[in-house]
């Protein structure tokens, strides 16, 4: 059996208040659109960079370096809007856009 692959990405956890606001918006969307599926609030996060697929072995090798790269000052952002992906007419995902005027999230993605 081939090794199972995992989606590998770097993300920031969200403050509880932000998570609550986004979860509330999700509740409203699922009420308005019966085919929409809500992501559990505990799974909400701010993705900085998507790396790709990784085998368990690759994940074991990469994880320590990724955690080291993410060390640094706290990142302060604010949600600036919502965007449908891949498009409004064919949305598979609704994502919150955030402002990174400090540049800290972008800097973390480059590490």
């Amino acid at each position: 059996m081939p090794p199972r692959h995992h989606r590998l990405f770097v993300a920031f956890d969200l403050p509880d208040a932000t998570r609550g606001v986004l979860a509330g918006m999700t509740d409203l969307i699922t009420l308005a659109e019966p085919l929409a599926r809500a992501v559990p609030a505990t799974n909400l996060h701010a993705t900085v960079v998507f790396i790709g697929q990784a085998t368990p072995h690759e994940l074991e090798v990469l994880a320590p370096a990724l955690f080291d790269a993410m060390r640094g000052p706290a990142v302060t952002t604010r949600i600036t809007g919502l965007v449908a992906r891949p498009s409004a007419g064919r949305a598979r995902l609704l994502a919150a856009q955030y402002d990174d005027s400090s540049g800290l999230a972008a800097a973390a993605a480059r590490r």
Side-chain angles (χ1 to χ4, degrees):
M1 173 183 265
R4 182 171 172 227
H5 283 73
H6 301 276
R7 291 170 38 97
L8 187 59
F9 58 94
V10 175
F12 293 111
D13 200 10
L14 298 172
D16 290 338
T18 302
R19 188 182 308 277
V21 168
L22 292 173
M25 294 169 79
T26 301
D27 290 344
L28 292 173
I29 291 167
T30 56
L31 285 173
E33 178 52 61
L35 296 178
R37 287 184 308 138
V39 172
T42 55
N43 290 359
L44 297 174
H45 59 270
T47 301
V48 176
V49 63
F50 181 70
I51 297 169
Q53 301 292 323
T55 65
H57 174 71
E58 291 167 331
L59 184 58
E60 188 176 311
V61 171
L62 290 170
L66 291 172
F67 281 111
D68 284 345
M70 293 306 293
R71 294 185 200 282
V75 174
T76 301
T77 63
R78 65 182 179 86
I79 295 173
T80 59
L82 297 175
V83 62
R85 301 277 190 222
S87 67
R90 298 176 24 145
R92 293 181 37 92
L93 162 68
L94 186 61
Q97 291 180 306
Y98 60 90
D99 172 47
D100 180 31
S101 56
S102 69
L104 290 174
R110 289 190 298 270
R111 282 188 234 147

